Amino acid sequence: MTTAVARPPGWHPALVALHWLTVALIAVQYGLSRLMGDESRDLLGRFVLYQWHKSIGLTVALFVVMRLSLRLVIPDPEPLPASIWLRRAAQAVHAALYLCLLALPVTGLLMVSAAPIQIPTLYFGWFSVPHPIGPDKATYELMRGLHGLAFDSLVALGLVHLGAALFHQLVWRDGLLRRMWFRRVGSGAL
C-alpha cells in the first residue's frame, strides 16, 4: 500500500526565489538591451553593457536549469480547482516560457560565437566563456533572428502569464499569488 505525499500549500521558497530573481533579471536584460543599441555610446561603455548582458543571460539560464532540476525533487503544491483545458493551457504557457528562457541564452551565445567580429564573453569579468563555434555570418544572422523571436515570444507569453495571475487574484480570488510568494514558517499567510 502506498501513501500519498502531502503537498505543500505553496511553492517551495527556493523555487519562489528563483522565479522572482529570474523575473528581475529579465527586466534588467531588457534595459541593458535598450542601452546596448545606443550607438552614441563610446565603445568601452558598449563593451561593458554587452558583457553584463551576456553574463546575466547565462545566469538566467543557470537559474532556469536549477528551477527545472528542483521541480523534479520538490513536490508541487496541490493544484487549484480548474477545468482540464485551463490546466493544460497553463502547462503549455509554462513550458513555452521555460523554452524561451533557455532559447535566449543559447541563441545569444551562438550569436556572439558566430559574430564576424570576435569579442570574448567574460562572465562578470571572472572568467572567459568558450565560444562553441567560430565566425559564420549566416549562423550569426540566424541566431540573431531567433534571439529576437525568443525575446518577443517571452514577452507575449509573460503577458499571458501575468494576465492569468491577475485574473486569479482579482476575479477568482483563489489565492494563487500567495502560492508564489514567501511564507513565514508555520504560517498560511503572506
Side-chain angles (χ1 to χ4, degrees):
M1 180 176 194
T2 61
T3 58
V5 176
R7 292 181 177 219
W11 291 97
H12 189 278
L15 291 167
V16 172
L18 287 169
H19 173 271
W20 292 111
L21 283 169
T22 301
V23 170
L25 289 179
I26 290 167
V28 170
Q29 286 292 76
Y30 176 73
L32 286 172
S33 70
R34 304 305 298 167
L35 293 172
M36 288 166 22
D38 180 4
E39 294 187 11
S40 67
R41 292 184 177 278
D42 63 84
L43 287 177
L44 180 59
R46 290 182 73 198
F47 175 82
V48 169
L49 291 172
Y50 272 90
Q51 292 302 325
W52 274 95
H53 185 78
K54 293 189 284 185
S55 296
I56 292 171
L58 292 170
T59 303
V60 167
L62 176 64
F63 285 177
V64 171
V65 169
M66 288 170 60
R67 277 180 72 188
L68 290 171
S69 299
L70 286 172
R71 297 269 321 258
L72 295 174
V73 295
I74 296 173
D76 293 350
E78 191 67 41
L80 294 173
S83 67
I84 190 70
W85 73 267
L86 201 56
R87 281 193 194 160
R88 286 192 178 144
Q91 290 169 343
V93 169
H94 283 103
L97 280 167
Y98 279 120
L99 181 63
C100 289
L101 288 169
L102 290 171
L104 279 162
V106 169
T107 57
L109 183 60
L110 290 174
M111 178 175 54
V112 300
S113 299
I117 299 172
Q118 289 291 290
I119 299 171
T121 297
L122 306 173
Y123 188 77
F124 294 112
W126 298 334
F127 58 88
S128 180
V129 176
H131 289 174
I133 60 176
D136 181 75
K137 187 170 173 56
T139 302
Y140 170 77
E141 292 298 334
L142 175 64
M143 290 302 118
R144 186 174 178 209
L146 290 174
H147 194 67
L149 177 63
F151 178 75
D152 292 344
S153 299
L154 180 70
V155 170
L157 290 162
L159 290 172
V160 169
H161 183 66
L162 176 62
L166 291 173
F167 196 84
H168 274 275
Q169 182 69 20
L170 302 173
V171 177
W172 288 339
R173 299 177 186 266
D174 59 8
L176 177 108
L177 288 181
R178 280 194 307 269
R179 295 157 51 103
M180 190 43 91
W181 198 248
F182 300 98
R183 298 170 177 267
R184 290 181 298 177
V185 175
S187 170
L190 282 175

